[in-house]
Amino acid sequence: MNVRDAVLQKFRHHFGTSPAVLARAPGRVNLIGEHTDYNDGFVLPAAIDRAVYIAARPRPGDTLVHMLSVDFDAQSTFSLYNLDDPDLPRWSLYPRGALWWLQEHGYLVPAFDAVIGGDIPIGAGLSSSAAVELVTLELGLALAEASMPQLEKALAGVEVEHQFVGVPCGVMDQMASAMGRADHALLIDCRSLETTPVPVPAEVSLVILDTGKRRGLVSSEYAARREQCEAAARALGVETLRDASLAEVEEARARLGDLLYRRARHVVSENQRVLEAVEALRSDDLVRVGELLRASHASLRDDYEVSCAELDAMAEIANAQTGCYGARMTGAGFGGCAVALVATDAVSAFVEAVAPMYKQRTGLTPQVYVCRAAEGSGVERLSG
Ligand code: GLA
């Protein structure tokens, strides 16, 4: 049974009635443009055909939310007036954060019964948390009989992350989850927040390779990278690294010092690679896209230092296979997933070769998800 039906069935079974609303928000994979979003730069993610769903039914007149999580096999009851109660379970933090945001912005969300569940691997770097924020915003808005443009939903999700959860993320994950387009990647200008769908050619598949290495260091190192980028921008006399050219970074090398020089070089060169990758995709030059993916990985590994042995091994093994145009780490790094662009007719041979080679080299069992670019978040009203 697919996850959508499983969530609906669980609702009926547990609450003994039919849900009135079903919201959905997808995970994302970033093709290229890593650690550029918080530098006002360019990113090229795609929403994927793995998502989080919430089925719900309002209980007007009450103040308690009853929520059941399929993935955590757990249940939580919380008051709409005490959403930040520290004793509540961690898994309900993101849904509570989204409800908190809606309340803070004057949306009157009634109490409700809900079942949440999905098929985005949790904690693997495929933005399961952004998807939970978006799916709850979609649900809360529908229950409040309100609507908002997709971009505003995405920015609301980012505020949940910053103000309720306490993670200083950029805008990429939430924008991809809210604004994805089927069969397209999304070029996002993280300064203007303009989005441009870029077709993913039908002859290639997005293969996500989960290293099985969980992302231990990510929170402290992520915040450190952000600070280093801000320091580099100050030293270069620009507002953000988006405004610096490679020539300026080279010229300021001594002033920046080795660490900030390499951080800045990654961000500035990565922005260029994103724009080049978009051009190459538009002209069906997949070989060039692949080269850019490999260059991105090398830059993240050597200059930005957010890769790890497992991601390096996965990217190297994937890049050596026939039919693979290019592979690189994706997401914040320090574990999680790599993404490979693979000729669709070579995908099964690719998967069969990569998984055992990776296991032999690292001792870890990888998970492989062959994905399509999917539509962004939304909500359905159910009848009956
Ligand atoms: C995480 C963040 C994003 C982005 C990536 C790195 O996924 O949530 O905003 O910064 O890392 O590209």
Side-chain angles (χ1 to χ4, degrees), residues 86-150:
D87 293 332
L88 289 167
R90 172 90 196 166
W91 68 260
S92 69
L93 183 66
Y94 295 91
R96 285 185 279 119
L99 296 170
W100 163 85
W101 189 96
L102 290 168
Q103 274 181 358
E104 289 284 300
H105 291 79
Y107 293 96
L108 297 173
V109 182
F112 58 89
D113 293 332
V115 170
I116 183 167
D119 60 359
I120 309 170
I122 295 168
L126 299 175
S127 295
S128 57
S129 38
V132 174
E133 290 152 13
L134 263 301
V135 80
T136 317
L137 286 164
E138 293 283 1
L139 172 76
L141 285 165
L143 294 179
E145 310 214 343
S147 66
M148 236 162 65
Q150 292 307 99

Short mmCIF file of all heavy atoms in Angstrom, two decimals, residues 86-150:
data_model
loop_
_atom_site.label_atom_id
_atom_site.label_comp_id
_atom_site.label_asym_id
_atom_site.label_seq_id
_atom_site.Cartn_x
_atom_site.Cartn_y
_atom_site.Cartn_z
N PRO A 86 7.88 22.09 26.64
CA PRO A 86 9.13 21.32 26.44
C PRO A 86 8.99 19.83 26.76
O PRO A 86 9.85 19.04 26.39
CB PRO A 86 10.13 22.00 27.39
CG PRO A 86 9.29 22.73 28.38
CD PRO A 86 7.99 23.07 27.71
N ASP A 87 7.91 19.45 27.45
CA ASP A 87 7.75 18.03 27.79
C ASP A 87 7.12 17.22 26.66
O ASP A 87 7.01 16.00 26.76
CB ASP A 87 6.88 17.89 29.05
CG ASP A 87 7.61 18.45 30.27
OD1 ASP A 87 8.86 18.43 30.26
OD2 ASP A 87 6.93 18.94 31.19
N LEU A 88 6.67 17.90 25.61
CA LEU A 88 6.04 17.17 24.51
C LEU A 88 7.09 16.46 23.67
O LEU A 88 8.25 16.87 23.63
CB LEU A 88 5.23 18.15 23.65
CG LEU A 88 3.96 18.67 24.34
CD1 LEU A 88 3.38 19.86 23.58
CD2 LEU A 88 2.92 17.56 24.46
N PRO A 89 6.70 15.37 23.00
CA PRO A 89 7.71 14.59 22.27
C PRO A 89 8.33 15.38 21.11
O PRO A 89 7.69 16.21 20.48
CB PRO A 89 6.94 13.39 21.73
CG PRO A 89 5.51 13.73 21.84
CD PRO A 89 5.37 14.75 22.92
N ARG A 90 9.60 15.07 20.86
CA ARG A 90 10.40 15.76 19.85
C ARG A 90 9.78 15.63 18.45
O ARG A 90 9.85 16.53 17.63
CB ARG A 90 11.81 15.18 19.90
CG ARG A 90 12.76 15.59 18.84
CD ARG A 90 13.55 16.84 19.19
NE ARG A 90 14.13 17.39 17.96
CZ ARG A 90 14.65 18.59 17.86
NH1 ARG A 90 14.68 19.40 18.89
NH2 ARG A 90 15.16 19.00 16.72
N TRP A 91 9.18 14.45 18.15
CA TRP A 91 8.67 14.25 16.78
C TRP A 91 7.54 15.23 16.46
O TRP A 91 7.31 15.54 15.29
CB TRP A 91 8.24 12.80 16.54
CG TRP A 91 7.03 12.33 17.30
CD1 TRP A 91 7.05 11.58 18.45
CD2 TRP A 91 5.65 12.54 17.00
NE1 TRP A 91 5.77 11.34 18.87
CE2 TRP A 91 4.88 11.92 18.00
CE3 TRP A 91 4.98 13.20 15.96
CZ2 TRP A 91 3.49 11.93 18.01
CZ3 TRP A 91 3.59 13.22 15.97
CH2 TRP A 91 2.86 12.59 16.98
N SER A 92 6.87 15.75 17.49
CA SER A 92 5.77 16.67 17.19
C SER A 92 6.23 18.13 17.18
O SER A 92 5.42 19.04 17.01
CB SER A 92 4.62 16.47 18.19
OG SER A 92 4.99 16.90 19.48
N LEU A 93 7.54 18.35 17.33
CA LEU A 93 8.06 19.73 17.37
C LEU A 93 7.75 20.49 16.07
O LEU A 93 7.31 21.64 16.10
CB LEU A 93 9.59 19.68 17.58
CG LEU A 93 10.31 21.01 17.72
CD1 LEU A 93 9.87 21.72 19.01
CD2 LEU A 93 11.83 20.79 17.76
N TYR A 94 7.97 19.86 14.91
CA TYR A 94 7.78 20.56 13.64
C TYR A 94 6.31 20.86 13.35
O TYR A 94 5.99 21.99 12.98
CB TYR A 94 8.44 19.78 12.50
CG TYR A 94 9.94 19.70 12.65
CD1 TYR A 94 10.55 18.65 13.33
CD2 TYR A 94 10.76 20.70 12.13
CE1 TYR A 94 11.92 18.60 13.51
CE2 TYR A 94 12.14 20.65 12.30
CZ TYR A 94 12.72 19.60 12.98
OH TYR A 94 14.07 19.54 13.15
N PRO A 95 5.40 19.88 13.55
CA PRO A 95 3.99 20.23 13.39
C PRO A 95 3.56 21.33 14.37
O PRO A 95 2.85 22.26 13.99
CB PRO A 95 3.25 18.92 13.70
CG PRO A 95 4.25 17.84 13.56
CD PRO A 95 5.60 18.43 13.75
N ARG A 96 4.03 21.24 15.62
CA ARG A 96 3.64 22.27 16.59
C ARG A 96 4.18 23.63 16.16
O ARG A 96 3.53 24.66 16.31
CB ARG A 96 4.15 21.89 17.99
CG ARG A 96 3.33 20.78 18.63
CD ARG A 96 3.77 20.51 20.07
NE ARG A 96 4.94 19.66 20.16
CZ ARG A 96 6.10 20.01 20.71
NH1 ARG A 96 6.28 21.22 21.21
NH2 ARG A 96 7.10 19.16 20.76
N GLY A 97 5.40 23.63 15.63
CA GLY A 97 6.00 24.89 15.18
C GLY A 97 5.18 25.55 14.08
O GLY A 97 4.97 26.77 14.07
N ALA A 98 4.68 24.73 13.16
CA ALA A 98 3.87 25.29 12.06
C ALA A 98 2.56 25.85 12.60
O ALA A 98 2.11 26.93 12.18
CB ALA A 98 3.61 24.19 11.02
N LEU A 99 1.95 25.16 13.56
CA LEU A 99 0.70 25.65 14.16
C LEU A 99 0.95 26.95 14.94
O LEU A 99 0.17 27.89 14.91
CB LEU A 99 0.08 24.57 15.06
CG LEU A 99 -0.35 23.30 14.32
CD1 LEU A 99 -0.72 22.20 15.31
CD2 LEU A 99 -1.54 23.60 13.38
N TRP A 100 2.09 26.97 15.62
CA TRP A 100 2.50 28.19 16.35
C TRP A 100 2.61 29.37 15.37
O TRP A 100 2.12 30.46 15.64
CB TRP A 100 3.84 27.91 17.05
CG TRP A 100 4.57 29.14 17.49
CD1 TRP A 100 4.38 29.82 18.66
CD2 TRP A 100 5.59 29.83 16.76
NE1 TRP A 100 5.23 30.91 18.70
CE2 TRP A 100 5.97 30.94 17.56
CE3 TRP A 100 6.21 29.63 15.53
CZ2 TRP A 100 6.96 31.84 17.14
CZ3 TRP A 100 7.19 30.53 15.12
CH2 TRP A 100 7.55 31.62 15.92
N TRP A 101 3.26 29.14 14.23
CA TRP A 101 3.44 30.22 13.25
C TRP A 101 2.08 30.74 12.78
O TRP A 101 1.87 31.96 12.70
CB TRP A 101 4.26 29.73 12.04
CG TRP A 101 4.64 30.86 11.12
CD1 TRP A 101 5.82 31.54 11.11
CD2 TRP A 101 3.82 31.45 10.10
NE1 TRP A 101 5.78 32.52 10.15
CE2 TRP A 101 4.58 32.49 9.51
CE3 TRP A 101 2.54 31.20 9.61
CZ2 TRP A 101 4.09 33.28 8.46
CZ3 TRP A 101 2.04 32.00 8.58
CH2 TRP A 101 2.81 33.02 8.01
N LEU A 102 1.17 29.82 12.51
CA LEU A 102 -0.16 30.23 12.02
C LEU A 102 -0.88 31.06 13.08
O LEU A 102 -1.47 32.10 12.77
CB LEU A 102 -0.98 28.99 11.63
CG LEU A 102 -0.48 28.27 10.37
CD1 LEU A 102 -1.16 26.92 10.22
CD2 LEU A 102 -0.74 29.12 9.11
N GLN A 103 -0.79 30.62 14.33
CA GLN A 103 -1.43 31.40 15.40
C GLN A 103 -0.82 32.78 15.52
O GLN A 103 -1.53 33.78 15.62
CB GLN A 103 -1.22 30.69 16.73
CG GLN A 103 -2.25 29.65 17.01
CD GLN A 103 -2.01 29.00 18.36
OE1 GLN A 103 -1.04 29.31 19.07
NE2 GLN A 103 -2.88 28.10 18.72
N GLU A 104 0.52 32.83 15.51
CA GLU A 104 1.22 34.11 15.63
C GLU A 104 0.80 35.07 14.54
O GLU A 104 0.90 36.28 14.69
CB GLU A 104 2.75 33.90 15.50
CG GLU A 104 3.39 33.22 16.67
CD GLU A 104 3.55 34.15 17.86
OE1 GLU A 104 4.24 35.17 17.71
OE2 GLU A 104 2.97 33.85 18.91
N HIS A 105 0.41 34.54 13.39
CA HIS A 105 0.03 35.38 12.26
C HIS A 105 -1.48 35.50 12.10
O HIS A 105 -1.97 35.87 11.04
CB HIS A 105 0.71 34.88 10.97
CG HIS A 105 2.20 35.12 11.03
ND1 HIS A 105 3.04 34.29 11.73
CD2 HIS A 105 2.97 36.14 10.57
CE1 HIS A 105 4.27 34.77 11.68
NE2 HIS A 105 4.26 35.89 10.99
N GLY A 106 -2.19 35.19 13.18
CA GLY A 106 -3.62 35.50 13.22
C GLY A 106 -4.55 34.48 12.56
O GLY A 106 -5.74 34.75 12.40
N TYR A 107 -4.02 33.30 12.18
CA TYR A 107 -4.91 32.29 11.59
C TYR A 107 -5.57 31.49 12.71
O TYR A 107 -4.90 31.03 13.63
CB TYR A 107 -4.11 31.35 10.67
CG TYR A 107 -3.58 32.05 9.45
CD1 TYR A 107 -2.27 32.55 9.43
CD2 TYR A 107 -4.38 32.25 8.34
CE1 TYR A 107 -1.79 33.22 8.32
CE2 TYR A 107 -3.90 32.92 7.22
CZ TYR A 107 -2.61 33.41 7.22
OH TYR A 107 -2.13 34.08 6.13
N LEU A 108 -6.88 31.33 12.60
CA LEU A 108 -7.61 30.62 13.66
C LEU A 108 -7.75 29.15 13.26
O LEU A 108 -8.66 28.76 12.53
CB LEU A 108 -8.99 31.24 13.85
CG LEU A 108 -8.94 32.70 14.33
CD1 LEU A 108 -10.33 33.32 14.33
CD2 LEU A 108 -8.30 32.79 15.73
N VAL A 109 -6.80 28.35 13.70
CA VAL A 109 -6.83 26.92 13.38
C VAL A 109 -7.61 26.20 14.48
O VAL A 109 -7.26 26.32 15.65
CB VAL A 109 -5.39 26.34 13.29
CG1 VAL A 109 -5.43 24.87 12.90
CG2 VAL A 109 -4.55 27.13 12.29
N PRO A 110 -8.66 25.47 14.13
CA PRO A 110 -9.41 24.75 15.15
C PRO A 110 -8.64 23.52 15.64
O PRO A 110 -7.67 23.09 15.00
CB PRO A 110 -10.67 24.30 14.40
CG PRO A 110 -10.24 24.20 12.97
CD PRO A 110 -9.19 25.26 12.78
N ALA A 111 -9.08 22.97 16.76
CA ALA A 111 -8.50 21.70 17.24
C ALA A 111 -8.81 20.61 16.20
O ALA A 111 -9.76 20.74 15.42
CB ALA A 111 -9.09 21.33 18.58
N PHE A 112 -8.01 19.56 16.19
CA PHE A 112 -8.25 18.50 15.19
C PHE A 112 -7.64 17.18 15.62
O PHE A 112 -6.78 17.13 16.51
CB PHE A 112 -7.71 18.93 13.81
CG PHE A 112 -6.22 19.26 13.78
CD1 PHE A 112 -5.28 18.29 13.52
CD2 PHE A 112 -5.78 20.57 14.00
CE1 PHE A 112 -3.92 18.59 13.48
CE2 PHE A 112 -4.43 20.88 13.97
CZ PHE A 112 -3.49 19.90 13.70
N ASP A 113 -8.11 16.12 14.97
CA ASP A 113 -7.50 14.79 15.08
C ASP A 113 -6.68 14.58 13.81
O ASP A 113 -7.13 14.97 12.72
CB ASP A 113 -8.58 13.70 15.11
CG ASP A 113 -9.43 13.77 16.37
OD1 ASP A 113 -8.92 14.24 17.40
OD2 ASP A 113 -10.61 13.36 16.30
N ALA A 114 -5.52 13.96 13.93
CA ALA A 114 -4.70 13.81 12.73
C ALA A 114 -3.81 12.58 12.79
O ALA A 114 -3.42 12.12 13.86
CB ALA A 114 -3.82 15.05 12.55
N VAL A 115 -3.49 12.09 11.59
CA VAL A 115 -2.46 11.05 11.43
C VAL A 115 -1.42 11.60 10.46
O VAL A 115 -1.77 12.12 9.40
CB VAL A 115 -3.05 9.74 10.88
CG1 VAL A 115 -1.93 8.77 10.51
CG2 VAL A 115 -3.98 9.11 11.89
N ILE A 116 -0.16 11.51 10.86
CA ILE A 116 0.93 11.98 10.00
C ILE A 116 1.84 10.80 9.65
O ILE A 116 2.08 9.92 10.49
CB ILE A 116 1.73 13.12 10.70
CG1 ILE A 116 2.82 13.68 9.78
CG2 ILE A 116 2.33 12.68 12.03
CD1 ILE A 116 3.43 14.99 10.25
N GLY A 117 2.30 10.76 8.41
CA GLY A 117 3.20 9.68 8.01
C GLY A 117 3.78 9.98 6.64
O GLY A 117 3.20 10.75 5.88
N GLY A 118 4.91 9.38 6.35
CA GLY A 118 5.51 9.68 5.05
C GLY A 118 6.53 8.65 4.64
O GLY A 118 6.79 7.68 5.36
N ASP A 119 7.12 8.86 3.46
CA ASP A 119 8.15 7.94 2.99
C ASP A 119 9.44 8.66 2.63
O ASP A 119 10.24 8.17 1.84
CB ASP A 119 7.63 7.07 1.83
CG ASP A 119 7.19 7.88 0.63
OD1 ASP A 119 7.24 9.13 0.68
OD2 ASP A 119 6.79 7.26 -0.39
N ILE A 120 9.64 9.85 3.23
CA ILE A 120 10.95 10.51 3.08
C ILE A 120 11.81 9.96 4.22
O ILE A 120 11.42 10.08 5.37
CB ILE A 120 10.82 12.04 3.28
CG1 ILE A 120 9.71 12.63 2.43
CG2 ILE A 120 12.17 12.71 3.00
CD1 ILE A 120 9.40 14.09 2.77
N PRO A 121 12.97 9.37 3.90
CA PRO A 121 13.79 8.87 5.01
C PRO A 121 14.09 10.01 5.99
O PRO A 121 14.42 11.11 5.57
CB PRO A 121 15.05 8.35 4.33
CG PRO A 121 14.88 8.55 2.87
CD PRO A 121 13.56 9.14 2.59
N ILE A 122 13.96 9.74 7.26
CA ILE A 122 14.09 10.79 8.28
C ILE A 122 15.56 10.98 8.65
O ILE A 122 16.27 10.02 8.89
CB ILE A 122 13.24 10.42 9.51
CG1 ILE A 122 11.76 10.42 9.10
CG2 ILE A 122 13.48 11.38 10.67
CD1 ILE A 122 10.84 9.80 10.10
N GLY A 123 15.99 12.23 8.64
CA GLY A 123 17.37 12.53 9.06
C GLY A 123 18.41 12.16 8.03
O GLY A 123 19.59 12.07 8.35
N ALA A 124 18.01 11.96 6.78
CA ALA A 124 18.97 11.56 5.75
C ALA A 124 19.40 12.73 4.88
O ALA A 124 20.18 12.57 3.95
CB ALA A 124 18.36 10.46 4.88
N GLY A 125 18.88 13.91 5.16
CA GLY A 125 19.26 15.07 4.35
C GLY A 125 18.35 15.28 3.16
O GLY A 125 18.72 15.95 2.19
N LEU A 126 17.14 14.71 3.20
CA LEU A 126 16.19 14.91 2.11
C LEU A 126 15.04 15.82 2.53
O LEU A 126 13.96 15.82 1.96
CB LEU A 126 15.67 13.56 1.60
CG LEU A 126 16.77 12.64 1.05
CD1 LEU A 126 16.21 11.28 0.69
CD2 LEU A 126 17.47 13.27 -0.17
N SER A 127 15.30 16.60 3.57
CA SER A 127 14.37 17.64 4.03
C SER A 127 13.04 17.10 4.53
O SER A 127 11.98 17.67 4.25
CB SER A 127 14.13 18.69 2.94
OG SER A 127 15.32 19.37 2.68
N SER A 128 13.12 16.02 5.29
CA SER A 128 11.87 15.54 5.89
C SER A 128 11.32 16.59 6.85
O SER A 128 10.11 16.75 6.98
CB SER A 128 12.08 14.20 6.58
OG SER A 128 13.08 14.31 7.56
N SER A 129 12.19 17.35 7.52
CA SER A 129 11.64 18.34 8.47
C SER A 129 10.96 19.50 7.75
O SER A 129 9.89 19.95 8.17
CB SER A 129 12.70 18.82 9.46
OG SER A 129 13.93 18.98 8.86
N ALA A 130 11.56 19.98 6.66
CA ALA A 130 10.89 21.05 5.89
C ALA A 130 9.53 20.54 5.40
O ALA A 130 8.53 21.27 5.42
CB ALA A 130 11.76 21.47 4.70
N ALA A 131 9.48 19.27 4.99
CA ALA A 131 8.21 18.72 4.50
C ALA A 131 7.17 18.66 5.61
O ALA A 131 6.00 18.95 5.38
CB ALA A 131 8.45 17.32 3.91
N VAL A 132 7.60 18.33 6.83
CA VAL A 132 6.63 18.30 7.94
C VAL A 132 6.13 19.72 8.24
O VAL A 132 4.95 19.93 8.51
CB VAL A 132 7.24 17.64 9.20
CG1 VAL A 132 6.29 17.75 10.38
CG2 VAL A 132 7.56 16.17 8.93
N GLU A 133 7.02 20.69 8.16
CA GLU A 133 6.57 22.09 8.36
C GLU A 133 5.53 22.46 7.31
O GLU A 133 4.46 22.99 7.62
CB GLU A 133 7.76 23.05 8.27
CG GLU A 133 8.73 22.94 9.44
CD GLU A 133 10.17 23.31 9.08
OE1 GLU A 133 10.41 23.89 8.00
OE2 GLU A 133 11.04 23.03 9.90
N LEU A 134 5.86 22.17 6.05
CA LEU A 134 4.97 22.56 4.96
C LEU A 134 3.64 21.81 5.01
O LEU A 134 2.59 22.40 4.78
CB LEU A 134 5.67 22.31 3.61
CG LEU A 134 6.34 23.53 2.98
CD1 LEU A 134 5.33 24.65 2.74
CD2 LEU A 134 7.46 24.09 3.81
N VAL A 135 3.70 20.52 5.32
CA VAL A 135 2.45 19.75 5.31
C VAL A 135 1.53 20.26 6.43
O VAL A 135 0.31 20.33 6.26
CB VAL A 135 2.73 18.23 5.40
CG1 VAL A 135 3.02 17.76 6.82
CG2 VAL A 135 1.58 17.44 4.84
N THR A 136 2.12 20.66 7.55
CA THR A 136 1.27 21.15 8.65
C THR A 136 0.75 22.55 8.34
O THR A 136 -0.38 22.89 8.70
CB THR A 136 2.05 21.15 9.98
OG1 THR A 136 2.79 19.94 10.10
CG2 THR A 136 1.10 21.27 11.16
N LEU A 137 1.57 23.36 7.66
CA LEU A 137 1.06 24.68 7.24
C LEU A 137 -0.10 24.51 6.27
O LEU A 137 -1.13 25.19 6.38
CB LEU A 137 2.20 25.49 6.59
CG LEU A 137 3.25 26.03 7.57
CD1 LEU A 137 4.51 26.46 6.83
CD2 LEU A 137 2.69 27.21 8.38
N GLU A 138 0.06 23.59 5.31
CA GLU A 138 -1.03 23.33 4.35
C GLU A 138 -2.30 22.92 5.10
O GLU A 138 -3.40 23.42 4.82
CB GLU A 138 -0.65 22.22 3.37
CG GLU A 138 0.49 22.55 2.40
CD GLU A 138 0.06 23.45 1.25
OE1 GLU A 138 -1.12 23.85 1.19
OE2 GLU A 138 0.93 23.75 0.40
N LEU A 139 -2.13 22.00 6.04
CA LEU A 139 -3.28 21.50 6.80
C LEU A 139 -3.92 22.62 7.62
O LEU A 139 -5.14 22.83 7.57
CB LEU A 139 -2.85 20.37 7.73
CG LEU A 139 -3.95 19.93 8.69
CD1 LEU A 139 -4.99 19.10 7.96
CD2 LEU A 139 -3.40 19.18 9.88
N GLY A 140 -3.09 23.35 8.38
CA GLY A 140 -3.60 24.40 9.26
C GLY A 140 -4.34 25.46 8.47
O GLY A 140 -5.42 25.92 8.87
N LEU A 141 -3.79 25.84 7.32
CA LEU A 141 -4.46 26.86 6.49
C LEU A 141 -5.81 26.34 6.01
O LEU A 141 -6.81 27.05 6.04
CB LEU A 141 -3.57 27.23 5.30
CG LEU A 141 -2.37 28.13 5.65
CD1 LEU A 141 -1.37 28.15 4.51
CD2 LEU A 141 -2.84 29.56 5.99
N ALA A 142 -5.83 25.07 5.57
CA ALA A 142 -7.10 24.50 5.08
C ALA A 142 -8.13 24.46 6.21
O ALA A 142 -9.29 24.83 6.02
CB ALA A 142 -6.87 23.10 4.52
N LEU A 143 -7.70 24.06 7.42
CA LEU A 143 -8.65 23.99 8.54
C LEU A 143 -9.11 25.39 8.96
O LEU A 143 -10.21 25.57 9.46
CB LEU A 143 -8.01 23.27 9.73
CG LEU A 143 -7.70 21.78 9.55
CD1 LEU A 143 -7.05 21.21 10.80
CD2 LEU A 143 -8.97 20.99 9.19
N ALA A 144 -8.25 26.39 8.75
CA ALA A 144 -8.63 27.77 9.07
C ALA A 144 -9.37 28.42 7.90
O ALA A 144 -9.68 29.61 7.95
CB ALA A 144 -7.38 28.58 9.43
N GLU A 145 -9.59 27.66 6.85
CA GLU A 145 -10.25 28.14 5.62
C GLU A 145 -9.56 29.37 5.08
O GLU A 145 -10.18 30.37 4.72
CB GLU A 145 -11.73 28.40 5.90
CG GLU A 145 -12.32 27.19 6.59
CD GLU A 145 -13.75 26.91 6.24
OE1 GLU A 145 -14.41 27.79 5.72
OE2 GLU A 145 -14.17 25.77 6.50
N ALA A 146 -8.21 29.26 5.04
CA ALA A 146 -7.41 30.38 4.55
C ALA A 146 -6.49 29.87 3.46
O ALA A 146 -6.32 28.66 3.30
CB ALA A 146 -6.59 30.96 5.69
N SER A 147 -5.89 30.80 2.73
CA SER A 147 -4.89 30.37 1.75
C SER A 147 -3.76 31.38 1.72
O SER A 147 -3.89 32.49 2.24
CB SER A 147 -5.52 30.23 0.37
OG SER A 147 -5.93 31.50 -0.07
N MET A 148 -2.66 30.96 1.13
CA MET A 148 -1.46 31.80 1.08
C MET A 148 -0.69 31.38 -0.15
O MET A 148 -0.71 30.20 -0.50
CB MET A 148 -0.61 31.45 2.31
CG MET A 148 -0.26 32.60 3.20
SD MET A 148 0.27 32.04 4.84
CE MET A 148 1.74 31.20 4.51
N PRO A 149 0.03 32.28 -0.82
CA PRO A 149 0.86 31.85 -1.95
C PRO A 149 1.93 30.84 -1.48
O PRO A 149 2.36 30.91 -0.33
CB PRO A 149 1.52 33.14 -2.43
CG PRO A 149 0.71 34.25 -1.86
CD PRO A 149 0.09 33.72 -0.60
N GLN A 150 2.35 29.96 -2.41
CA GLN A 150 3.32 28.92 -2.03
C GLN A 150 4.61 29.52 -1.47
O GLN A 150 5.20 28.98 -0.54
CB GLN A 150 3.64 28.02 -3.23
CG GLN A 150 2.49 27.13 -3.69
CD GLN A 150 1.86 26.29 -2.59
OE1 GLN A 150 0.81 26.65 -2.04
NE2 GLN A 150 2.47 25.17 -2.24
#
